[in-house]
Amino acid sequence: MMNSWNRLPWMIAAILTAGTSAGLAMSVSPARTEVRVPPGGNATAVITITNTHSEAYDVELSEKPWFIYPENRHIQVEEWLKLPFRRHFRLKAGQSRDVKVTLRCPKTATGELMGMVSFAYMGIQKSMVTPMISTAVYLDVKGTEKNTAEILALGAGAKNGRFQVGVQIKATGNVRLRPSGRMHLLNDQGQSVAEY
């Protein structure tokens, strides 16, 4: 797993981007890419970047690691997340570009690999700050996923005049979880009187 120090440059880039006029100059779609392939398998994905600003920008493409599970610590992001040969291009005002990426699942990978495709961009007017926008890429290694979790805490109470229920869940497997669920409040006879 990456320590917080390794994530610091991305956090700084995000803060600086938010504070510049170029912060809203680019948009990326989709917000995340998810593929599922067996060990040794391949997949492709297309990420679209759009210049929503009124001036042209020079764009530089790169891949970055995100979260690394301990069993995949020997696998570098450059090994499985393959970007196109041409990594520098210019986007005119209102122009979009499709970027095709190849995902090559290493035979030794298990669970999930996570990375980011990042677009750094600079306008005609040079600046000391280089804004960057990124999109998440998830590669699920088919047949090796462990979807396990445990409930650490359960709470209920009133907040702002409304009854609420909260659950703290810890993922204990080797893939991310996006949990959802329902909770039924039962009376003394075991009948459901409320659902959350």
Side-chain angles (χ1 to χ4, degrees):
M1 181 168 64
M2 293 178 58
N3 61 39
S4 59
W5 182 256
N6 290 338
R7 291 192 303 261
L8 188 59
W10 297 313
M11 289 186 276
I12 292 171
I15 292 168
L16 292 176
T17 298
T20 65
S21 62
L24 300 175
M26 296 288 169
S27 68
V28 175
S29 178
R32 72 174 179 249
T33 298
E34 298 181 48
V35 298
R36 188 169 184 253
V37 295
N42 294 315
T44 58
V46 175
I47 298 169
T48 303
I49 181 165
T50 302
N51 181 356
T52 59
H53 208 252
S54 59
E55 65 175 289
Y57 282 92
D58 291 321
V59 180
E60 183 175 349
L61 187 61
S62 63
E63 70 281 275
K64 303 202 179 322
W66 188 18
F67 183 87
I68 302 171
Y69 288 96
E71 53 270 18
N72 292 325
R73 66 183 168 274
H74 63 284
I75 300 171
Q76 302 298 313
V77 69
E78 298 85 6
E79 295 175 44
W80 64 272
L81 182 52
K82 302 292 186 179
L83 300 178
F85 177 75
R86 187 170 178 211
R87 294 186 176 208
H88 303 272
F89 52 88
R90 177 167 280 198
L91 275 183
K92 296 178 183 175
Q95 187 178 24
S96 294
R97 183 183 188 102
D98 289 340
V99 176
K100 183 178 176 183
V101 296
T102 302
L103 307 163
R104 296 182 181 155
C105 184
K107 291 183 179 180
T108 58
T110 60
E112 182 175 48
L113 299 170
M114 291 185 244
M116 301 289 274
V117 175
S118 297
F119 301 86
Y121 54 98
M122 182 67 75
I124 305 296
Q125 299 290 330
K126 297 301 177 191
S127 170
M128 293 177 62
V129 176
T130 303
M132 180 180 290
I133 187 168
S134 299
T135 181
V137 178
Y138 300 95
L139 190 155
D140 292 335
V141 186
K142 187 176 180 179
T144 68
E145 307 100 322
K146 294 177 187 170
N147 290 301
T148 57
E150 62 181 85
I151 295 176
L152 300 179
L154 175 65
K159 184 176 180 182
N160 298 327
R162 187 172 178 203
F163 185 71
Q164 297 181 347
V165 177
V167 180
Q168 183 181 9
I169 300 174
K170 178 182 178 182
T172 56
N174 61 4
V175 294
R176 77 208 170 295
L177 298 177
R178 292 193 178 102
S180 64
R182 296 173 189 235
M183 185 172 292
H184 292 272
L185 184 62
L186 307 178
N187 64 16
D188 292 347
Q189 290 77 42
Q191 299 166 326
S192 179
V193 293
E195 183 179 320
Y196 303 94

